[in-house]
Amino acid sequence: MNITFIGIGNVGSALADHLAQQGHPVTIAARDPSSDTVRAAQEKNPNLIPKPVTEAVSEAEVIFLATPFAANEAALKSAGDLSGKVVVDCTNPVGTNLSHGLNSTLSGAETVQQIIPTAKVVKAFTIYGFENFENSAYSGYKAGDAALKPAMLIAGDDAAAKATVSELCTQLGWEAIDTGPLSMSLHYPC
Ligand SMILES: NC(=O)c1ccc[n+]([C@@H]2O[C@H](COP(=O)([O-])OP(=O)(O)OC[C@H]3O[C@@H](n4cnc5c(N)ncnc54)[C@H](OP(=O)(O)O)[C@@H]3O)[C@@H](O)[C@H]2O)c1
């Protein structure tokens, strides 16, 4: 599956590295291909190929958004046509003292969907720290015991898009738990 990342810092580089290790062609939708985060991601995994943002996005079936929440609008508006694309929103609207940055009135994921109304936004990869994306192993998990597999809460309004993201979660070592429509993201909370 062709996958690209908008934002390739702590979260993006960990997920991109593991998805590439699973055999997916993974690109970096790089606003600056010589940035420190692009370079660090490539040092981690040389198979991550930086491309101009609109080219990377147009080629991708799945786009991971892993930017600071405040950068979401600028990043998405410069990404070109996202119609019909699965967009995995990994961002958290973090407010002061780790409060909900939107005063718990609206999820960050819904604001992303408002910016790109024709894309299929799925919220995922927001309830753990990036260290867990680098290594999703859970010591209590025994192979084959699905009940003890680490859970990944996801939400979205499009069933097929959620199925795609669930499959990627499985490949990355998580059991995806579908919490319902995108509005459920507010209750993670994110
Ligand atoms: N850190 C965690 O443990 C964690 C866990 C779950 C969710 N999150 C959420 O995940 C998101 C990313 O967190 P992070 O820790 O990975 O951040 P980070 O390490 O600071 O990386 C941010 C990335 O976004 C890029 N970026 C910034 N502004 C941009 C713009 N306007 N357009 C395009 N790209 C832009 C940066 O590129 P440059 O290098 O060019 O600046 C960088 O590659 C945040 O929303 C955070 O709340 C974080």
Side-chain angles (χ1 to χ4, degrees), residues 6-12 31-32 35-37 66-69 71 74-75 90-92 94 125-131 133:
I6 302 176
I8 197 75
N10 294 314
V11 169
R31 59 179 178 161
D32 174 7
S35 76
D36 289 347
T37 56
T67 46
F69 185 78
C90 307
T91 71
N92 278 329
V94 183
F125 301 106
T126 50
I127 59 169
Y128 300 99
F130 72 93
E131 300 90 344
F133 306 147

Side-chain angles (χ1 to χ4, degrees), residues 73 76-77 80-85 87 109-121 157-158 182:
E73 184 160 6
L76 290 168
K77 288 202 163 155
D81 185 10
L82 289 150
S83 302
K85 305 274 190 186
V87 175
E110 289 166 286
T111 70
V112 169
Q113 184 71 78
Q114 285 169 0
I115 297 165
I116 45 171
T118 55
K120 300 168 183 174
V121 176
D157 294 335
D158 186 279
L182 201 58

